[in-house]
Amino acid sequence: MMIDFSPVILHVDMDAFFAAVETRNNPHLKGKPVVVGGALGGRGVVSTCSYEARKYGVHSGMPTGRAKQLCPQAIFISAGLKGYVYASACLQSIFERYTPMVQPISVDEAFLDISGTERKYNNPIDLVQEMKNEVWEKLHLTCSVGVSPTRYLAKLGSGLNKPNGLTILDHEKFREQFFPRPVDALWGIGESTKKSLAKKGILTVADLAKTDSKILKRIFGKNGDTLSVMSRGTDTGKVMRFDDLPHDKSMSHETTMRVDIQDPSLIRATILWLSDKVARRMRKKGYVGKTISVKIRSSDFKTITRANTIQRNTDRCDIIYDNALKLVPKEYGMKIKVRLLGVRVSHLKKIRNSRGERLHPEDNLQLELLEDVSEIQINKLTGAVDAIRDKYGENVIKYAGSMR
Amino acid sequence: MKFSLPKSRLTRYLQSVLSVVPAKSTLPILSNILLECLDKKLKISATDLDVTIMATIEADVSKKGSAVIPGRMLFDIVKDLPESEVTFEGTANRIELKVPNGSYKLGGVSPDEFPELPVVNIKKQVTVEAESLINMIKRTTFACSNDETRPALNGVLWQTKGDKMIMVATDGHRLARVSVENKKLKGLNDDVIIPPKVLDLIPKFISSDKDEIGIIFEENRIVFNLDDIVVSSRLIEGPYPNYEAVIPEKSDKKMVIARTDLASSVRRVSILSNSLTHQVKFGVKNNQLVLSTTNSDVGGEAKENLVCEYKGETIEIGYNAGYVNDILNKLESDEVIFELSTPVSAGLIYSTDISKEDYICLLMPLRLTE
């Protein structure tokens, strides 16, 4: 296998990451169907499952109840995030031994740009093999790697030969392998896009690649271009290190209720709990924002979102809560049963870097004529609660109103 | 219902009531206006639930009745008609507008669905001199805040003290206070906080020949009675912060300067100021004011020297240029007075024509960057 393209971009995807970590830690799970997910009794969803469980049709995102029906003998484990985060940090440092250009995408995925390593490795494949070996030796985990000239192709490539795969996918191979397949073989095309495309007679990836991007733009707006690029494998995105990544555009949190709720006080409590989560994360990462939105899914799976932009940027839970609550139509929680609630803050502005230093000192130059005493008090209180949480954990202190 | 009236009269009042019709609303009924034919009068009403405007106009009514129809649509039709008598005829469900060259038909909504109009309790009405009220409004509303985290500052405070009535507005960075002699308003015991949106309508609606404006204070509401137009508004809940505590008593650093010269210098210099803070530095010493600014983004620097009257200690102080000019625009006199104290405390700005007790503005500085 020789590589004749540049740049050389890898997509490394850990195989059944959470399940693999659990199996590694508990060897008796080896060879058995393992399902890792949240809230086993209720309505949690599957985070990951081992390949043994996948044979029964279990997949991530599926309600755990459904997984239990499909594979009753599976071993269900509730996700223990700390172990995964540790393994993920180890992975990151292994990747960085091979190239500084590592872009983590999630706990178990990363893009690496290994262009320029030719002097050390004649063939980039040697590097990939060595890296895979190191991951196995140090962590006893396997990964699948896609090797391509673009990020998007690398991502598709890593999914082709799972588990423990190594796939080179250049443009030619992409056309060979993907063009005959239905459009949803592409990463990022789901059920609804597939349906809209089918209406226009676009069924395969080849059909999509042939379609003029102007036509796609008319149907899908901005996303039309993206579809075009995806189907032709022509994305030009660069691998970016974590520090160079663009700032977050929004922060959100959502939750599926254990049972559908029809009680306005529970709606309020949940919105408060979600607002607290979002506000806390914004403060941790140094963001303020001014567009607040809610997402509500009723028991009949109809989902609505409502948004409002306030005058001043904020990272305060009470302000996010007040505004989010106003956006929830009255009939929800009264006439209409609620299944899922979400709170999001967007139009974010980064005001502090990771060291806590202010990024825009000019924002604070205007002196106040009438100090907002309540604001000063709330900020002090929030600071104290944040400090307690940093030291003792998120759940040791919470709003009484958010108890559900 | 059936009525007719001259096009120009109808246009004028439609325009007035439309100023409260929201451009888009979650409640579609609010984009409509209510037409009611009474004895020889046509009453047009519109509301956004916070503010309600009711205009009563002379019209030739031949059949009583009422209808609710899309407000902006009606206005757009009427405003472009040639000057003529327009006639409306129809039922609550459908209205026909007859004009010399043809006719327009509009579907209506049942008048029962229109929000209930506030009751105007004319017995409780007090009157205020129109000119002073309009002056007070024009001199204060600009300083209101639009930050909804401090709702009280979103309105103008109106209070009586002795035989004075006082209006105050502030956004926490600048403040305007007007005080006017008035004996009639003594009945206003409680402070009220009024949304600036409704106050700004009063000068527009009042006809020049009116000397007095009727006002009715209700719990949570205020009503302005301009005879042909009645405006009712929700009040903002208090308490209003203790603004008196932040007005400085006296100062030894008093600068007197030509108002329009200063305003245009500030405007020019601020072109090169930081685009977020609009900071302009005021350096005052020995009868001279130096305005300066820098903007590292464009490598810009600006400086202008102005003659002023100043004998105090040398001082350098930073202000938001936009705030300075908002105030200078309101003061109207040839010369204005700045009373300064320190670079981090509020400055007092007032006109040489009006006593300090009657109209002052306060401006909080920007911390100097260099």
Side-chain angles (χ1 to χ4, degrees), chain A residues 319-363:
Chain A
I319 294 174
I320 296 171
Y321 167 72
D322 284 345
N323 284 284
L325 195 61
K326 270 188 230 158
L327 294 169
V328 180
K330 278 192 204 82
E331 55 273 27
Y332 283 83
M334 302 284 279
K335 270 187 278 174
I336 303 176
K337 282 190 184 178
V338 175
R339 179 183 171 86
L340 172 145
L341 282 171
V343 170
R344 172 187 300 272
V345 179
S346 48
H347 281 121
L348 296 185
K349 179 176 177 184
K350 197 159 174 85
I351 55 160
R352 284 186 306 274
N353 64 16
S354 51
R355 292 182 297 281
E357 297 154 353
R358 282 201 80 92
L359 293 176
H360 307 282
E362 69 272 17
D363 288 355

Side-chain angles (χ1 to χ4, degrees), chain A residues 161-337:
Chain A
N161 294 303
K162 269 184 152 297
N164 204 12
L166 199 176
T167 311
I168 300 171
L169 191 70
D170 58 14
H171 284 107
E172 203 185 315
K173 284 222 185 82
F174 165 72
R175 284 190 288 270
E176 255 168 47
Q177 297 218 13
F178 280 85
F179 269 23
R181 295 171 64 178
V183 285
D184 61 350
L186 293 174
W187 173 49
I189 296 191
E191 233 8 81
S192 69
T193 312
K194 185 183 178 180
K195 266 188 205 154
S196 319
L197 287 169
K199 273 187 210 150
K200 300 279 162 194
I202 301 170
L203 301 173
T204 63
V205 176
D207 294 341
L208 186 57
K210 269 189 302 201
T211 310
D212 191 334
S213 65
K214 280 181 201 147
I215 295 172
L216 295 171
K217 228 172 166 171
R218 230 175 290 142
I219 313 170
F220 296 98
K222 254 192 268 171
N223 293 334
D225 271 337
T226 320
L227 285 173
S228 225
V229 166
M230 275 160 47
S231 63
R232 294 166 195 181
T234 51
D235 73 302
T236 51
K238 295 231 172 359
V239 172
M240 279 192 283
R241 288 178 300 174
F242 186 72
D243 289 343
D244 304 332
L245 286 176
H247 294 326
D248 290 314
K249 290 203 173 80
S250 71
M251 290 210 178
S252 62
H253 208 87
E254 58 183 55
T255 186
T256 302
M257 310 299 164
R258 259 162 291 188
V259 284
D260 294 347
I261 54 175
Q262 205 172 5
D263 173 355
S265 71
L266 277 177
I267 302 256
R268 284 195 296 273
T270 308
I271 296 279
L272 179 58
W273 180 75
L274 292 168
S275 304
D276 186 27
K277 285 253 175 203
V278 172
R280 162 82 169 140
R281 192 138 48 93
M282 289 172 71
R283 292 193 298 271
K284 250 186 169 169
K285 295 198 161 184
Y287 285 103
V288 290
K290 57 165 109 176
T291 299
I292 294 161
S293 45
V294 291
K295 175 174 168 185
I296 313 158
R297 181 170 298 151
S298 48
S299 48
D300 58 0
F301 278 85
K302 206 185 128 214
T303 309
I304 62 160
T305 57
R306 296 281 180 273
N308 180 35
T309 299
I310 57 174
Q311 284 294 329
R312 198 165 55 144
N313 283 316
T314 191
D315 57 5
R316 267 171 55 182
C317 170
D318 60 320
I319 294 174
I320 296 171
Y321 167 72
D322 284 345
N323 284 284
L325 195 61
K326 270 188 230 158
L327 294 169
V328 180
K330 278 192 204 82
E331 55 273 27
Y332 283 83
M334 302 284 279
K335 270 187 278 174
I336 303 176
K337 282 190 184 178

Side-chain angles (χ1 to χ4, degrees), chain A residues 309-312 316 319 323 349 362-373 375, chain B residues 146-150 170 172-173 175 246 276-277 323 344 346 362 364-367 369:
Chain A
T309 299
I310 57 174
Q311 284 294 329
R312 198 165 55 144
R316 267 171 55 182
I319 294 174
N323 284 284
K349 179 176 177 184
E362 69 272 17
D363 288 355
N364 255 9
L365 294 176
Q366 176 66 56
L367 296 156
E368 294 289 328
L369 194 56
L370 294 150
E371 291 279 357
D372 188 344
V373 184
E375 165 136 1
Chain B
N146 53 14
D147 175 0
E148 56 278 82
T149 55
R150 295 177 85 181
T170 179
H173 302 148
L175 178 149
V246 298
L276 276 171
T277 63
Y323 289 170
V344 292
L362 242 74
M364 208 57 190
L366 283 160
R367 213 173 262 123
T369 33

